[in-house]
């Protein structure tokens, strides 16, 4: 700094602090700082030491700024090496101007020029007046303050060069400063400080990125180790270089260093491709040799490529189909909700059936449920499943009589892709696979085609299934419950059901009684169904006593299912909630009401027009008789219900010889 400028600067300073000058020949940033100091009532002639932090506050500050200090110290040391022995100090402060770290000569604290440079000292403008540290904080930019540019006279002997340090969000987190004798002032000093500050901020940024990368790496590692799917990482040659715990448990052996193509086969290999490297794939079904034997898995592969797009390895995810099936079973309705407590009835017949079923449930034996249609065989099957050791597994039901005979094999055993025309791409698991670890309930098993019974018997015996069109066997652990409304022994005698299969299924036979054999349960069932309807519809229903008597005298060929339908019909017709005899179906009042219905003869087997006409006339006669009984002989009401005139009804009554 030239002597002439020094004198002019000192003169301007004296005039300004005396309140007489505007210091127009002084640099604007310095003048702006002087004004701030004057407004803050800073004493320009004060000789008292700077305010400092107490020991506890200083230690807390040093802990909070530990990372910044560690990063800055090497750069501060390098700077100090250039000025060592010259009386210069290199200082690091926080964003409030408190010194956290410094490098200086041994006599720094004894040197009057630098005696205010010590850890914990404040160099904020409100404490030290205009100075490079405090003013750089106010400006948010580098600055050099020399000689009389300092607002306080005791610092006129100093030249200070400081630059703020910013974090990644451009917030000031500290200041780097070099201070020494004003006679050694040089503009290059500020450039050196700025360069060091830039290096410190770059190092902080690198550290921050490294921390972020470490966090991401920890997250990926945690995911890799905790994910339930098996994960393999392969190099560019397709060799396994990493394996997660789930995959280790799946294979049961060390597969590190083994080519992934040796662990399973998929379509990509047939084209000379390496899974996970040459092309991606998603949910491809493959057979994997695991510690528990061959296991179907869904494989997804994704290559890892360089910036140039070259394959550098890949990730292979193995998901056992059993796990997928558990999710499908959970959300696809393959579950049992009913228990033995949901079976309504106190009759000895139903209690005996429940007792036998409860005892059988805890075993692993095959169960054959026998009973007429509508007796509640599936309710029993669900209750047995929920009481069995397989209760946490799926409950898969299949009605053998509702599936075309040519499709029942694919439904039971599944099929491979291309097994037949219309087969789904990728194939499809059968009900045995879906029920693995749980219960397979086969209703109407007596309707299973004879040609499928052989394959069915083999699966039961070997506990392994082979998909249609496939050549690999899949182990299946399934509890089997079958139900039928036929006499299977008679079917065996007819030759429509295999004898060996019958004895395989008939380990534990449970006969569910028809409703006509448990008449005392009818009021309970009627009340249960009526109460449920009332809750669902928000209505209160009640029945006349003679309704219950009428229900008890009926033969119930449709069993509990028919009773439920009758209750729903009666409740729908009861406008005021009162159910009377007139709300019951007409068949309750026919001569057949007290007997079990004879087998229904399909019209197609009646080979003459006369017989068909006779059947129709008999049905109409019984219906008219039932309605007349229900409506106490009121011809008008019967005619309205039949949708005919009174004259037509009287004519029909004469034809059928129905007295009124």
């Amino acid at each position: 700094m030239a002597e002439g400028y020094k004198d002019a600067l000192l003169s301007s300073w004296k005039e300004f602090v005396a309140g007489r000058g505007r210091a127009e020949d002084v640099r604007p940033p310095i003048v702006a700082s002087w004004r701030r100091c004057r407004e803050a009532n800073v004493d320009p002639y004060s000789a008292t030491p700077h305010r400092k932090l107490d020991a506890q506050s200083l230690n807390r500050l040093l802990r909070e700024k530990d990372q910044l200090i560690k990063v800055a110290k090497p750069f501060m040391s390098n700077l100090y090496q250039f000025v060592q022995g010259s009386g210069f100090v290199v200082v690091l402060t926080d964003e409030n101007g408190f010194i956290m770290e410094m490098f200086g000569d041994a006599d720094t604290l004894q040197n009057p020029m630098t005696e205010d440079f010590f850890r914990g000292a404040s160099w904020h403008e409100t404490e030290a007046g205009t100075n490079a540290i405090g003013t750089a904080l106010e400006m948010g930019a580098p600055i050099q303050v020399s000689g009389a540019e300092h607002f306080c006279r005791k610092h006129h002997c100093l030249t200070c060069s400081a630059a703020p340090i910013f974090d990644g969000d451009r917030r000031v987190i500290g200041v780097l400063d070099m201070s020494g004798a004003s006679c050694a002032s040089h503009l290059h000093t500020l450039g050196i400080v700025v360069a060091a500050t830039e290096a410190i901020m770059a190092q902080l940024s690198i550290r921050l990125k490294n921390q972020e990368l470490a966090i991401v790496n920890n997250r990926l590692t945690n995911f890799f180790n905790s994910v339930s799917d098996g994960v393999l990482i392969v190099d560019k040659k397709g060799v396994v270089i990493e394996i997660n715990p789930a995959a280790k448990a799946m294979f049961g052996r060390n597969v590190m260093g083994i080519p992934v193509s040796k662990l399973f086969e998929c379509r990509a290999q047939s084209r000379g491709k390496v899974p996970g490297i040459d092309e991606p794939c998603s949910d491809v079904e493959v057979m994997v040799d695991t510690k528990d034997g061959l296991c179907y898995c869904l494989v997804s592969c994704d290559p890892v490529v360089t910036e140039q797009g070259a394959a550098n390895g890949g990730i292979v995810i193995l998901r056992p189909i059993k796990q997928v099936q558990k999710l499908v079973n959970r959300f696809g309705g393959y579950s049992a909700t009913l228990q033995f407590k949901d079976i309504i009835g106190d009759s000895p017949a139903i209690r005996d059936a429940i007792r036998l079923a409860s005892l059988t449930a805890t075993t692993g034996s095959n169960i054959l449920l026998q009973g007429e249609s509508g007796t509640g065989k599936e309710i029993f099957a669900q209750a047995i499943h929920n009481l069995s050791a397989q209760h946490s597994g799926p409950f898969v039901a299949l009605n053998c009589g509702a599936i075309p005979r040519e499709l029942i094999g694919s439904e039971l055993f599944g099929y491979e892709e291309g097994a037949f025309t219309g087969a789904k791409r990728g194939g499809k698991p059968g009900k045995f696979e879906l029920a693995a670890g749980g219960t397979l309930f086969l209703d109407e098993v007596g309707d299973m085609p004879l040609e499928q019974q052989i394959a069915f018997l083999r699966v039961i015996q070997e506990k392994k299934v082979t998909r249609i069109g496939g050549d690999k066997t899949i182990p299946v652990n399934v509890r089997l419950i079958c139900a039928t409304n036929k006499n299977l022994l008679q079917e065996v005698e007819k030759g429509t059901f295999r004898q060996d299969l019958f004895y395989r299924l008939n380990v534990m036979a449970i006969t569910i009684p028809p409703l006509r054999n448990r008449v005392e349960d009818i009021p309970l069932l009627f009340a249960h169904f009526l109460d449920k309807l009332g809750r669902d519809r928000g209505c209160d229903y009640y029945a006349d006593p003679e309704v219950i008597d009428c229900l008890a005298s009926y033969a119930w060929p449709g069993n509990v299912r028919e009773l439920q339908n009758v209750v729903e019909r009666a409740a729908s017709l009861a406008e005021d909630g009162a159910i009377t005899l007139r709300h019951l179906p007409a068949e309750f009042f026919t001569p057949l009401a007290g007997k079990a219905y004879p087998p229904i003869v399909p019209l197609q087997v009646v080979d003459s027009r006369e017989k068909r006409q006779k059947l129709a006339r008999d049905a109409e006669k019984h219906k008219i008789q039932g309605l007349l009984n229900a409506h106490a002989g009121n011809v008008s009401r019967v005619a309205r219900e039949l949708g005919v005139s009174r004259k037509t009804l009287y004519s029909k009554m004469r034809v059928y010889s129905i007295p009124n």
Side-chain angles (χ1 to χ4, degrees):
M1 186 181 295
E3 290 297 328
Y5 177 73
K6 289 181 181 180
D7 295 339
L9 179 61
L10 181 59
S11 176
S12 295
W13 175 81
K14 289 178 180 179
E15 291 292 322
F16 186 87
V17 297
R20 297 192 297 269
R22 300 177 61 183
E24 294 178 352
D25 54 344
V26 181
R27 289 186 298 155
I30 300 299
V31 176
S33 175
W34 287 357
R35 289 178 180 142
R36 288 194 296 272
C37 293
R38 185 164 60 189
E39 290 172 359
N41 296 319
V42 177
D43 183 1
Y45 295 102
S46 173
T48 57
H50 291 189
R51 181 172 69 91
K52 66 177 182 179
L53 294 173
D54 58 72
Q56 184 177 1
S57 299
L58 176 60
N59 289 333
R60 183 169 60 249
L61 174 63
L62 296 179
R63 286 195 301 270
E64 292 173 355
K65 296 291 185 176
D66 180 66
Q67 183 174 336
L68 173 60
I69 295 170
K70 286 181 178 178
V71 171
K73 280 183 74 171
F75 298 98
M76 296 172 67
S77 177
N78 289 338
L79 284 179
Y80 177 67
Q81 289 179 10
F82 292 111
V83 296
Q84 188 174 5
S86 65
F88 268 82
V89 292
V90 180
V91 175
L92 176 69
T93 76
D94 73 346
E95 64 273 19
N96 296 312
F98 291 104
I99 294 177
M100 301 184 296
E101 186 59 78
M102 61 177 290
F103 285 78
D105 297 339
D107 63 346
T108 298
L109 292 178
Q110 286 74 39
N111 188 336
M113 181 175 62
T114 56
E115 63 181 357
D116 283 319
F117 288 97
F118 55 88
R119 285 186 180 87
S122 173
W123 279 81
H124 196 273
E125 274 191 350
T126 57
E127 294 286 340
T130 302
N131 70 91
I133 295 171
T135 305
L137 286 172
E138 290 290 339
M139 295 171 54
I143 191 171
Q144 187 177 69
V145 179
S146 298
E149 289 181 333
H150 289 88
F151 188 74
C152 294
R153 186 174 65 175
K154 68 176 181 177
H155 298 319
H156 285 185
C157 59
L158 293 173
T159 178
C160 305
S161 301
I165 301 171
F166 298 95
D167 65 8
D169 297 323
R170 295 300 298 173
R171 293 176 300 192
V172 177
I173 58 173
V175 172
L176 182 65
D177 170 76
M178 281 184 66
S179 297
S182 61
C183 60
S185 174
H186 200 290
L187 286 176
H188 290 319
T189 307
L190 180 60
I192 294 172
V193 172
V194 171
T197 303
E198 293 290 341
I200 291 171
M201 289 190 290
Q203 189 63 34
L204 286 171
S205 177
I206 292 172
R207 280 209 171 194
L208 180 61
K209 293 297 181 185
N210 287 340
Q211 290 174 355
E212 292 174 354
L213 287 174
I215 292 172
V216 171
N217 183 62
N218 287 338
R219 289 172 180 167
L220 291 175
T221 301
N222 291 339
F223 173 78
F224 183 74
N225 290 330
S226 62
V227 66
S228 60
D229 296 337
V231 182
L232 308 175
I233 299 178
V234 299
D235 62 14
K236 59 184 178 182
K237 295 181 180 179
V239 176
V240 178
I241 57 175
E242 290 287 345
I243 179 172
N244 76 333
K248 287 180 183 177
M250 186 186 304
F251 287 103
R253 67 185 193 278
N254 185 14
V255 297
M256 297 277 285
I258 299 177
V260 70
S261 57
K262 297 286 183 66
L263 300 176
F264 59 83
E265 295 180 1
C266 65
R267 289 194 299 271
Q269 291 163 254
S270 64
R271 300 192 298 272
K273 304 288 187 180
V274 179
I277 297 178
D278 294 328
E279 64 180 25
C281 64
S282 178
D283 291 338
V284 176
E285 193 170 311
V286 299
M287 185 73 78
V288 179
D289 187 9
T290 68
K291 66 176 182 179
D292 298 321
L294 293 176
C295 170
Y296 270 107
C297 292
L298 294 180
V299 172
S300 298
C301 307
D302 201 14
V304 176
V305 298
T306 63
E307 292 182 357
Q308 292 74 33
N312 193 38
I315 298 174
V316 179
I317 299 176
L318 295 171
R319 183 179 297 114
I321 283 185
K322 287 182 180 179
Q323 294 182 8
V324 180
Q325 288 169 351
K326 285 182 180 179
L327 291 175
V328 172
N329 293 335
R330 185 185 304 173
F331 299 107
Y334 292 137
S335 59
T337 58
L338 299 173
Q339 302 180 25
F340 284 115
K341 65 181 182 180
D342 298 312
I343 300 175
I344 308 300
D346 287 327
S347 63
I350 197 67
R351 287 292 107 191
D352 285 345
I354 292 174
R355 182 184 59 81
L356 182 57
S358 300
L359 293 172
T360 307
T362 56
T363 70
S365 304
N366 296 334
I367 297 176
L368 180 63
L369 299 175
Q370 302 174 111
E372 298 176 7
S373 294
T375 52
K377 294 186 288 294
E378 183 164 354
I379 298 177
F380 268 80
Q382 290 194 27
I384 291 170
H385 169 79
N386 282 325
L387 194 61
S388 70
Q390 294 83 10
H391 67 275
S392 59
F395 177 85
V396 180
L398 178 68
N399 190 317
C400 299
I403 300 172
R405 60 187 302 117
E406 62 272 10
L407 295 180
I408 193 167
S410 61
E411 284 291 326
L412 279 173
F413 314 124
Y415 56 82
E416 296 287 1
E417 181 177 339
F420 50 83
T421 303
K424 288 184 179 180
R425 184 176 181 180
K428 179 185 176 183
K431 292 296 189 287
F432 268 102
E433 289 182 63
L434 293 175
T439 299
L440 177 60
F441 172 58
L442 297 181
D443 200 4
E444 308 289 356
V445 71
D447 294 332
M448 182 181 293
L450 196 61
E451 59 271 18
Q452 296 298 341
Q453 294 178 23
I454 302 173
F456 181 42
L457 177 62
R458 185 180 302 114
V459 173
I460 298 174
Q461 290 174 336
E462 299 177 359
K463 295 190 179 298
K464 295 179 181 178
V465 66
T466 301
R467 292 186 182 181
I468 295 174
D471 56 0
K472 295 183 174 67
T473 58
I474 306 168
V476 287
N477 177 25
V478 173
R479 171 73 176 277
L480 191 63
I481 301 177
C482 296
T484 182
N485 59 1
K486 294 183 177 181
N487 188 324
L488 291 187
L489 273 178
Q490 291 181 2
E491 299 300 315
V492 169
E493 293 173 1
K494 293 178 186 177
T496 59
F497 202 83
R498 291 180 62 91
Q499 186 179 44
D500 48 2
L501 177 59
F502 169 73
Y503 289 119
R504 276 284 176 183
L505 300 180
N506 194 37
V507 178
M508 296 296 296
I510 301 172
T511 301
I512 303 173
L515 188 56
R516 62 180 174 275
N517 291 350
R518 41 184 291 218
V519 178
E520 55 265 58
D521 292 335
I522 292 176
L524 293 175
L525 289 164
F526 180 83
H528 170 74
F529 293 138
L530 198 62
D531 182 60
K532 185 177 183 302
L533 277 174
R535 291 196 307 271
D536 293 343
R537 299 178 180 181
C539 299
D540 290 327
Y541 295 107
Y542 58 94
D544 290 346
E546 58 265 26
V547 172
I548 305 300
D549 295 337
C550 183
L551 296 177
S553 64
Y554 183 61
W556 297 108
N559 292 291
V560 179
R561 185 184 296 122
E562 183 184 9
L563 174 59
Q564 185 174 6
N565 294 339
V566 167
V567 173
E568 185 173 352
R569 178 188 189 276
S572 300
L573 296 175
E575 297 177 0
D576 55 356
I579 297 175
T580 62
L581 287 176
R582 64 189 181 90
H583 297 129
L584 299 180
E587 53 264 29
F588 275 71
F589 309 102
T590 66
L592 296 175
K595 305 176 184 177
Y597 284 160
I600 297 174
V601 181
L603 285 180
Q604 58 264 34
V605 304
V606 181
D607 53 4
S608 69
R609 178 177 299 177
E610 291 77 10
K611 289 183 178 179
R612 291 198 298 271
Q613 290 175 346
K614 185 178 185 305
L615 285 173
R617 287 195 299 271
D618 289 345
E620 186 177 43
K621 178 180 178 180
H622 292 319
K623 187 171 184 179
I624 293 173
Q625 287 176 324
L627 289 173
L628 285 169
N629 290 334
H631 297 303
N634 190 323
V635 175
S636 298
R637 295 185 65 178
V638 174
R640 282 199 300 272
E641 189 159 336
L642 289 173
V644 299
S645 65
R646 293 173 73 254
K647 182 178 179 182
T648 300
L649 179 58
Y650 276 123
S651 176
K652 289 180 180 291
M653 291 168 64
R654 284 194 299 272
V655 170
Y656 297 139
S657 301
I658 299 174
N660 188 12

